Amino acid sequence: MIEIRDERPTDMSAREQLLDTCFGAARVLKTSERLREGRMPAKGLSLTAELSGRIVGTVRLWHVEAGPGRPALLLGPLAVDPSLQGHGLGSAMVWASIGRARALGHGAIVLIGDAPYYARFGFSGGLMAGLSMPGPFERARFLGLNLRKGALDGATGILAATGILEEAACPEGLDARRQAA
């Protein structure tokens, strides 16, 4: 039985390994990563899928601003162990993320991803027409979802990172956290 649960600090090493397996080392070069870099994920919105004590899935949401004065969440990365892909775990994790974000009162989620895959959850490129990423991105993969009516309607500008900096959450700094892992 696969359990989708809150991410724990002890998941970090296995999470990073899973992300490397699914996306390779080049994953850190993506524009989305610039928005996550040095930030903490949104509280209560980091999920892990576990099967028999093994991390088999991960998804996080991050605070961003979708144009001036428009708070939103950035979904990603979503990763599922290759041996379990195609069995609905990724969908279950996205639905869980959307449900939690809505329950916590967030207004919108944005992402860079496969449009046909994310359309089933209600994500659309049309909501993102007036927005851009702060670096190279594929327009057709830039998608948004209103959790609250009109949250992204008419949004313009460049996505910007917001939220808590890692150093603020961990005063001893990132190097100390990595050594402890």
Side-chain angles (χ1 to χ4, degrees):
M1 175 93 170
I2 297 175
E3 175 189 11
I4 297 176
R5 59 166 173 76
D6 288 320
E7 183 180 276
R8 301 176 189 144
T10 55
D11 296 338
M12 293 309 141
S13 178
R15 179 185 181 280
E16 290 300 313
Q17 246 181 336
L18 178 61
L19 291 172
D20 285 344
T21 297
C22 292
F23 302 113
R27 70 184 171 90
V28 298
L29 302 176
K30 295 180 178 184
T31 298
S32 303
E33 187 64 24
R34 302 293 72 80
L35 292 168
R36 297 186 288 260
E37 197 169 58
R39 304 267 174 189
M40 297 295 297
K43 186 175 180 166
L45 294 171
S46 295
L47 302 177
T48 296
E50 184 176 344
L51 174 63
S52 302
R54 187 170 65 99
I55 304 303
V56 295
T58 181
V59 66
R60 287 177 165 179
L61 287 96
W62 309 79
H63 290 285
V64 294
E65 191 172 66
R70 293 219 190 211
L73 296 167
L74 173 68
L75 187 146
L78 168 67
V80 172
D81 185 289
S83 68
L84 296 172
Q85 290 175 3
H87 298 286
L89 179 55
S91 290
M93 295 191 77
V94 172
W95 282 122
S97 296
I98 291 169
R100 281 192 181 199
R102 187 174 276 127
L104 290 169
H106 294 283
I109 301 174
V110 300
L111 60 84
I112 298 286
D114 183 56
Y117 178 83
Y118 285 101
R120 72 182 87 182
F121 310 105
F123 285 89
S124 162
L127 290 172
M128 308 305 284
L131 293 167
S132 292
M133 292 287 283
F137 71 101
E138 294 177 56
R139 172 63 59 188
R141 295 173 53 84
F142 194 33
L143 310 172
L145 171 69
N146 282 332
L147 298 177
R148 202 173 333 114
K149 186 175 170 107
L152 290 173
D153 294 359
T156 59
I158 298 173
L159 245 57
T162 60
I164 299 172
L165 293 170
E166 284 183 334
E167 291 76 23
C170 181
E172 61 273 11
L174 183 57
D175 289 335
R177 287 180 58 200
R178 286 188 177 144
Q179 289 173 358

